[in-house]
Amino acid sequence: MKIAVLTGGGDCPGLNAVIRSVVRKGVQEYGYEFVGLRDGWLGALSDKVMPLGIAEVRGILPRGGTILGSSRTNPLKHEDGVRRIQDTMAAHQVDALIVIGGEDTLGAATELSRQGIKLVGVPKTIDNDVRGTDYTFGFDTAVGIATEAIDRLHTTAESHMRTLVVEVMGRHSGWIALHAGVAGGANVILLPERPFDIDQVCAWVKDRFKINYAPIVVAAEGAVPKDGQMILKDRSLDEYGHVHLSGIGEWLAQEIEQRTGTDARTTVLGHIQRGGTPSAFDRWLATRFGLHAVEAVKDGDFGVMVALHGTDIVRVGLDESRGRTKTVDPALYDEFEVFFG
Ligand code: F6P
């Protein structure tokens, strides 16, 4: 059995831990061979293949990023995409793929599986927005980084008695904003799922100043004002049709200054949330996902992704879980309202 592994979409901490786990289990327990496909689906389309054995995965468990490289290439947007992937697999005698990706990469995998390519998915993303799994690896690390940033911003905000707005990642879902905002004791948390009222935000900011504390506002990059629009960095689209977000933090700081007559600043955490070494939990989850992905291949159980349900790793049909991103339940957000303002 020969398996090709790829990592697609935005990178996240823990990708290398999955790759190591897959290779260690596959080689040591079942005598499988592996190759790596470079830069996500791009490598599968254009025959960019690298060796992947025990030597290549030695020492990569704590390393951020991905030794395979990644891209936002959508194979279904390329002419003859399916045939080209089949050609690459045939050229290297690859029997099956392990596809490590988020909603977009796994969405493409779902279609390729329908068209007969044997594959198993592994969900990843700092955004935690993949349906069908309780958590994705990468999320815990990102929340840790954002929480540490919020802790630091509290002290400087209080020295100057000004508002600090923290913009975190999260295009369609506010999981990072909610978890880091709650862990960091933010006074306002804004999510894409819940369009916000800027008057309410300013009222919460003023309340905070009244009790002599400096407000911390955490906003997901996809947060939108009621009657307003998502703020885009530019209008270009990637191959999955996504725009480049960022700007809501700056907009909020300006509005808060104008409407409350107090000082406000913005910090955009950006890719700091995606880089660097994975947390212990992400290493644990990524390692378990890798082990179970190899088991699925061994069982010939294709067209599934491994997923975390409670504390168990299960297999979920790719078909069943694709289509929409996993968003924050409004009732969960409402639990924390007592901390706002
Ligand atoms: O998909 C994960 C994500 O982290 C989003 O939250 C964010 O909008 C996007 O990646 C940024 O991607 P890029 O690195 O391509 O700008």
Side-chain angles (χ1 to χ4, degrees):
M1 168 78 77
K2 194 164 181 184
I3 303 171
V5 184
L6 71 86
T7 51
D11 73 340
C12 76
L15 289 168
N16 284 327
V18 180
I19 298 166
R20 165 185 175 268
S21 165
V22 157
V23 172
R24 288 285 297 273
K25 175 146 180 132
V27 172
Q28 290 176 216
E29 224 166 295
Y30 300 126
Y32 292 164
E33 287 180 85
F34 290 88
V35 286
L37 295 168
R38 298 277 326 169
D39 305 331
W41 291 118
L42 189 62
L45 290 172
S46 46
D47 196 7
K48 284 169 62 184
V49 172
M50 63 176 262
L52 192 61
I54 299 284
E56 282 75 22
V57 301
R58 189 161 294 136
I60 66 172
L61 171 64
R63 269 177 57 193
T66 160
I67 59 165
L68 300 177
S70 194
S71 72
R72 293 195 185 275
T73 304
N74 182 349
L76 306 168
K77 288 276 159 66
H78 290 248
E79 215 181 311
D80 281 339
V82 181
R83 187 194 48 75
R84 285 163 63 190
I85 292 172
Q86 284 164 336
D87 286 351
T88 302
M89 289 176 71
H92 298 274
Q93 291 98 43
V94 165
D95 303 293
L97 305 181
I98 291 183
V99 177
I100 311 168
E103 269 301 328
D104 294 333
T105 304
L106 294 177
T110 306
E111 183 50 36
L112 294 171
S113 167
R114 278 187 206 124
Q115 300 202 28
I117 294 182
K118 291 178 178 167
L119 56 85
V120 169
V122 177
K124 66 89 221 182
T125 169
I126 63 163
D127 294 346
N128 195 37
D129 61 354
V130 176
R131 280 175 75 82
T133 184
D134 291 353
Y135 287 100
T136 50
F137 64 88
F139 173 64
D140 183 68
T141 308
V143 168
I145 292 165
T147 303
E148 194 203 326
I150 296 168
D151 287 348
R152 289 174 184 278
L153 292 169
H154 270 293
T155 63
T156 172
E158 272 154 32
S159 304
H160 294 269
M161 268 307 148
R162 57 165 60 131
T163 302
L164 273 170
V165 180
V166 191
E167 183 183 301
V168 298
M169 279 189 172
R171 228 196 277 265
H172 309 291
S173 63
W175 292 105
I176 298 178
L178 183 65
H179 281 236
V182 169
N187 317 109
V188 181
I189 301 175
L190 306 174
L191 317 180
E193 291 89 340
R194 168 89 58 122
F196 63 86
D197 176 354
I198 186 66
D199 292 325
Q200 173 68 81
V201 170
C202 291
W204 281 331
V205 162
K206 284 193 201 150
D207 284 349
R208 191 72 180 168
F209 280 127
K210 272 189 215 142
I211 53 167
N212 250 341
Y213 279 116
I216 300 285
V217 177
V218 176
E221 61 185 347
V224 253
K226 272 183 189 155
D227 314 317
Q229 280 185 348
M230 212 174 247
I231 300 181
L232 314 182
K233 186 113 181 154
D234 58 53
R235 302 209 152 263
S236 58
L237 296 179
D238 68 20
E239 289 188 10
Y240 291 94
H242 299 306
V243 283
H244 189 183
L245 297 179
S246 184
I248 188 65
E250 207 40 61
W251 183 87
L252 278 163
Q254 276 167 21
E255 291 293 316
I256 291 168
E257 286 200 336
Q258 275 166 23
R259 288 165 185 256
T260 66
T262 59
D263 218 12
R265 297 285 189 278
T266 304
T267 299
V268 179
L269 292 184
H271 292 81
I272 287 176
Q273 295 159 99
R274 285 210 331 227
T277 188
S279 66
F281 176 80
D282 281 338
R283 295 180 201 190
W284 157 262
L285 182 59
T287 298
R288 290 190 77 200
F289 276 170
L291 298 174
H292 284 259
V294 170
E295 279 299 309
V297 173
K298 189 195 122 248
D299 294 346
D301 195 3
F302 298 113
V304 299
M305 71 170 194
V306 293
L308 181 70
H309 285 186
T311 54
D312 295 332
I313 308 291
V314 298
R315 296 175 197 166
V316 180
L318 278 168
D319 260 331
E320 294 160 42
S321 49
R322 301 285 58 75
R324 276 179 302 130
T325 50
K326 185 180 73 180
T327 50
V328 174
D329 182 344
L332 178 64
Y333 179 81
D334 289 341
E335 275 181 27
F336 304 103
E337 235 168 49
V338 67
F339 298 112
F340 299 163

